[in-house]
Amino acid sequence: MSTAQPTGVVIPEVDGRTSTSALGRGVVADALRAADPVGARGAESSTDWRHDYLQHFRRLVEAGLPSRDAALTIARDGLASLHTRMRFRPEPGAAEEPLDAAFKGGAPLSTATVAGSGEARRELVLPYRGRRLRGAELDDQLDTWVAGGVIERSCADAVRTVAANPDWLALPGRRVAVLGAGAEMGPLTALLSWGADVVAVDLPRPAIWQRLIGTAERYAGRLHVPVAADAGGDLDKRAGADLLHDLGRIAEWLAGFDGGLVLGNYVYADGALNVRVAMAVDALTVWLRERRPDLALAFLATPTDVFAVPADAVDEAGRRYREAAGIGRIRRPLRVLSAGRLLTRNYPPGIYPGVNDSLVPQQGPNYALAKRLQRWRAAEARAAGVPVSLTVAPATRTRSVVKNRLLAAAFAGAHRFGIEIFEPATSNTLMAALLVHDLHAGRPEHEHPWQDEAYAAAHGGLWRQPYSARSALGIAVLLGIGAARG
């Protein structure tokens, strides 16, 4: 076998080569098989997964809507399929092994702790467009977002609850393990500024750890860092661990922390690597749950996915469609010229819950599978009684997104459709506040998993705009390109 083969947690080979399409087809079919046999056969028979995945990922949501049991069956069967199919290769040229092999041995990791020198912030302050919103200004902005359909009212209520309880911010008695600690959308900076204990996991790359250590020193919290026991030199050069290859060492290290542990999943990578690292985190989640009954889970869901949404979101989108404001004034000729493909309704009227399909083809099936895996785990864990914080985060101008020229242009034109694109500092502080809320106040009990996902969503307007996302995407790109040239 070629030494160029990937190692660690890997996508299985099919007929001698790695196939992410075969994995995606198989997992989606397995997830649908019990709840929707016709949908499962459709996924299995796809010959162009890169294009067809859009309809099948929508079907995963639709097939779960009839009942809680159907939704949980899809989640559990999808997770089981991934854990059965994904493999571990210990070294180049070695044979693939079951995923459990990732937890074999390895030299233990030690802990280095960086204690900040700053003063803990005892007030919720949200950075927003050059201002720092607190108190009445924060209240006003939350009202503006709710009125504009940018966030759900439950999101605003949760943020206000945290603002009214500033002693919650430091998360006393808990440690938050931030997997993907260097991610722009992660809560690390906000948590450290509030004086929290943060356990950081990211790749052993000095540039990452220089930044994280500097952040920890500047703020009030404590940062716990994994280091190789026999390593020497400055901390930034010996810190870090790789989830793909060091899963057993990371698992044992995290298992050893005292107090309540929150496992926060903020990892991201491009392409097939995203599925591999998402699967590594899920395997770690299962391992820790078996050993830590105090474990809580945290996730961020992307708004560019398929979600069931409440009746009032459907009705508001319908009202906006009828009023045809802004770009809608030229809707009719655009629809005629495009044979009905442009500016289609976001939802059929009167069907509840609505299904918001905001999957973006440019992000691809690997991204969709990695994010759906997290939603499945959140639903399964919540049903098993595990505390879970999964929040839909707004579209955000992170480096990983805007490096795609089409997405960057779409973001630039999105405001013409009532969509607000957030800056990273606003998003990660807002999401950290919602995490604090969920860990202290908990979430309401809902009858169906789709309601859990819709609670406190900050979707940026995608759920309440008049048009389906893909039918407006091309126009948003053209408007964004025009604005950039202007």
Side-chain angles (χ1 to χ4, degrees), residues 296-299 377-383 385-390 438-439 443:
L297 304 179
F299 307 87
R377 180 57 66 195
E380 178 277 330
R382 190 182 288 112
V386 177
V388 174
S389 174
L390 180 141
D438 293 347
L439 293 175
R443 288 191 158 212

CSV table of all heavy atoms in Angstrom, one decimal, residues 296-299 377-383 385-390 438-439 443:
chain,number,residue,atom,x,y,z
A,296,ALA,N,-20.9,17.2,29.8
A,296,ALA,CA,-21.9,18.0,29.0
A,296,ALA,C,-21.3,18.2,27.7
A,296,ALA,O,-20.1,18.2,27.5
A,296,ALA,CB,-22.2,19.3,29.7
A,297,LEU,N,-22.1,18.4,26.7
A,297,LEU,CA,-21.7,18.6,25.3
A,297,LEU,C,-22.1,20.0,24.8
A,297,LEU,O,-23.2,20.5,25.1
A,297,LEU,CB,-22.3,17.5,24.4
A,297,LEU,CG,-22.0,16.1,24.8
A,297,LEU,CD1,-22.7,15.1,23.9
A,297,LEU,CD2,-20.5,15.8,24.9
A,298,ALA,N,-21.3,20.5,23.9
A,298,ALA,CA,-21.6,21.8,23.3
A,298,ALA,C,-21.2,21.7,21.8
A,298,ALA,O,-20.2,21.2,21.4
A,298,ALA,CB,-20.8,22.9,23.9
A,299,PHE,N,-22.1,22.3,21.0
A,299,PHE,CA,-21.9,22.3,19.5
A,299,PHE,C,-22.4,23.7,19.0
A,299,PHE,O,-23.3,24.3,19.5
A,299,PHE,CB,-22.7,21.2,18.8
A,299,PHE,CG,-22.5,19.8,19.3
A,299,PHE,CD1,-23.3,19.4,20.4
A,299,PHE,CD2,-21.6,19.0,18.7
A,299,PHE,CE1,-23.1,18.1,20.8
A,299,PHE,CE2,-21.4,17.7,19.2
A,299,PHE,CZ,-22.2,17.2,20.2
A,377,ARG,N,-25.5,13.6,17.0
A,377,ARG,CA,-25.0,13.3,18.4
A,377,ARG,C,-25.7,14.2,19.4
A,377,ARG,O,-26.0,13.7,20.5
A,377,ARG,CB,-23.5,13.6,18.4
A,377,ARG,CG,-22.8,13.3,19.8
A,377,ARG,CD,-23.1,11.9,20.3
A,377,ARG,NE,-22.4,10.9,19.4
A,377,ARG,CZ,-22.7,9.6,19.4
A,377,ARG,NH1,-23.7,9.1,20.2
A,377,ARG,NH2,-22.1,8.8,18.6
A,378,ALA,N,-26.0,15.4,19.1
A,378,ALA,CA,-26.7,16.3,20.1
A,378,ALA,C,-28.1,15.7,20.4
A,378,ALA,O,-28.5,15.6,21.6
A,378,ALA,CB,-26.8,17.7,19.5
A,379,ALA,N,-28.8,15.2,19.4
A,379,ALA,CA,-30.1,14.7,19.6
A,379,ALA,C,-30.1,13.4,20.4
A,379,ALA,O,-30.8,13.2,21.3
A,379,ALA,CB,-30.8,14.5,18.2
A,380,GLU,N,-29.1,12.5,20.0
A,380,GLU,CA,-29.0,11.2,20.7
A,380,GLU,C,-28.6,11.4,22.2
A,380,GLU,O,-29.2,10.8,23.1
A,380,GLU,CB,-28.0,10.4,20.0
A,380,GLU,CG,-27.7,9.0,20.6
A,380,GLU,CD,-26.7,9.1,21.8
A,380,GLU,OE1,-25.8,10.0,21.8
A,380,GLU,OE2,-26.8,8.3,22.7
A,381,ALA,N,-27.7,12.3,22.4
A,381,ALA,CA,-27.2,12.6,23.8
A,381,ALA,C,-28.3,13.2,24.6
A,381,ALA,O,-28.5,12.8,25.8
A,381,ALA,CB,-25.9,13.4,23.8
A,382,ARG,N,-29.0,14.2,24.1
A,382,ARG,CA,-30.0,14.8,24.8
A,382,ARG,C,-31.1,13.8,25.2
A,382,ARG,O,-31.6,13.8,26.4
A,382,ARG,CB,-30.6,16.0,24.0
A,382,ARG,CG,-31.6,16.9,24.8
A,382,ARG,CD,-32.2,18.0,23.9
A,382,ARG,NE,-31.2,19.0,23.6
A,382,ARG,CZ,-30.7,19.2,22.3
A,382,ARG,NH1,-31.1,18.4,21.3
A,382,ARG,NH2,-29.9,20.1,22.1
A,383,ALA,N,-31.5,12.9,24.3
A,383,ALA,CA,-32.5,11.9,24.6
A,383,ALA,C,-32.0,11.0,25.7
A,383,ALA,O,-32.8,10.4,26.4
A,383,ALA,CB,-32.8,11.1,23.3
A,385,GLY,N,-30.3,11.9,28.3
A,385,GLY,CA,-30.2,12.7,29.5
A,385,GLY,C,-28.9,13.4,29.7
A,385,GLY,O,-28.7,14.0,30.8
A,386,VAL,N,-28.1,13.5,28.7
A,386,VAL,CA,-26.8,14.3,28.7
A,386,VAL,C,-27.1,15.8,28.5
A,386,VAL,O,-27.9,16.1,27.6
A,386,VAL,CB,-25.8,13.8,27.7
A,386,VAL,CG1,-24.5,14.7,27.7
A,386,VAL,CG2,-25.5,12.3,27.9
A,387,PRO,N,-26.6,16.7,29.3
A,387,PRO,CA,-26.8,18.1,29.1
A,387,PRO,C,-26.1,18.5,27.7
A,387,PRO,O,-25.0,18.2,27.5
A,387,PRO,CB,-26.1,18.8,30.3
A,387,PRO,CG,-26.0,17.8,31.3
A,387,PRO,CD,-25.9,16.5,30.6
A,388,VAL,N,-26.9,19.1,26.9
A,388,VAL,CA,-26.4,19.5,25.5
A,388,VAL,C,-26.7,20.9,25.2
A,388,VAL,O,-27.9,21.4,25.4
A,388,VAL,CB,-27.0,18.6,24.5
A,388,VAL,CG1,-26.6,19.1,23.1
A,388,VAL,CG2,-26.6,17.1,24.7
A,389,SER,N,-25.7,21.7,24.7
A,389,SER,CA,-26.0,23.0,24.2
A,389,SER,C,-25.6,22.9,22.7
A,389,SER,O,-24.4,22.8,22.3
A,389,SER,CB,-25.1,24.0,24.9
A,389,SER,OG,-25.2,25.3,24.2
A,390,LEU,N,-26.6,22.9,21.8
A,390,LEU,CA,-26.4,23.0,20.4
A,390,LEU,C,-27.2,24.3,19.9
A,390,LEU,O,-28.4,24.3,20.1
A,390,LEU,CB,-26.9,21.8,19.6
A,390,LEU,CG,-26.7,21.9,18.1
A,390,LEU,CD1,-26.2,20.5,17.5
A,390,LEU,CD2,-28.0,22.3,17.4
A,438,ASP,N,-27.1,27.9,28.6
A,438,ASP,CA,-27.6,26.5,28.6
A,438,ASP,C,-27.0,25.7,29.8
A,438,ASP,O,-27.6,24.8,30.3
A,438,ASP,CB,-27.2,25.9,27.3
A,438,ASP,CG,-27.9,26.4,26.1
A,438,ASP,OD1,-28.9,27.2,26.3
A,438,ASP,OD2,-27.5,26.2,24.9
A,439,LEU,N,-25.7,26.0,30.2
A,439,LEU,CA,-25.1,25.3,31.2
A,439,LEU,C,-25.7,25.7,32.6
A,439,LEU,O,-25.7,24.9,33.5
A,439,LEU,CB,-23.6,25.6,31.2
A,439,LEU,CG,-22.8,25.0,30.0
A,439,LEU,CD1,-21.4,25.4,30.0
A,439,LEU,CD2,-23.0,23.5,30.0
A,443,ARG,N,-32.1,24.1,29.0
A,443,ARG,CA,-33.0,24.3,27.9
A,443,ARG,C,-34.4,23.7,28.2
A,443,ARG,O,-34.5,22.7,28.9
A,443,ARG,CB,-32.5,23.7,26.6
A,443,ARG,CG,-31.2,24.5,26.1
A,443,ARG,CD,-30.8,24.1,24.7
A,443,ARG,NE,-30.1,25.1,24.1
A,443,ARG,CZ,-30.1,25.4,22.8
A,443,ARG,NH1,-30.8,24.7,22.0
A,443,ARG,NH2,-29.3,26.4,22.3
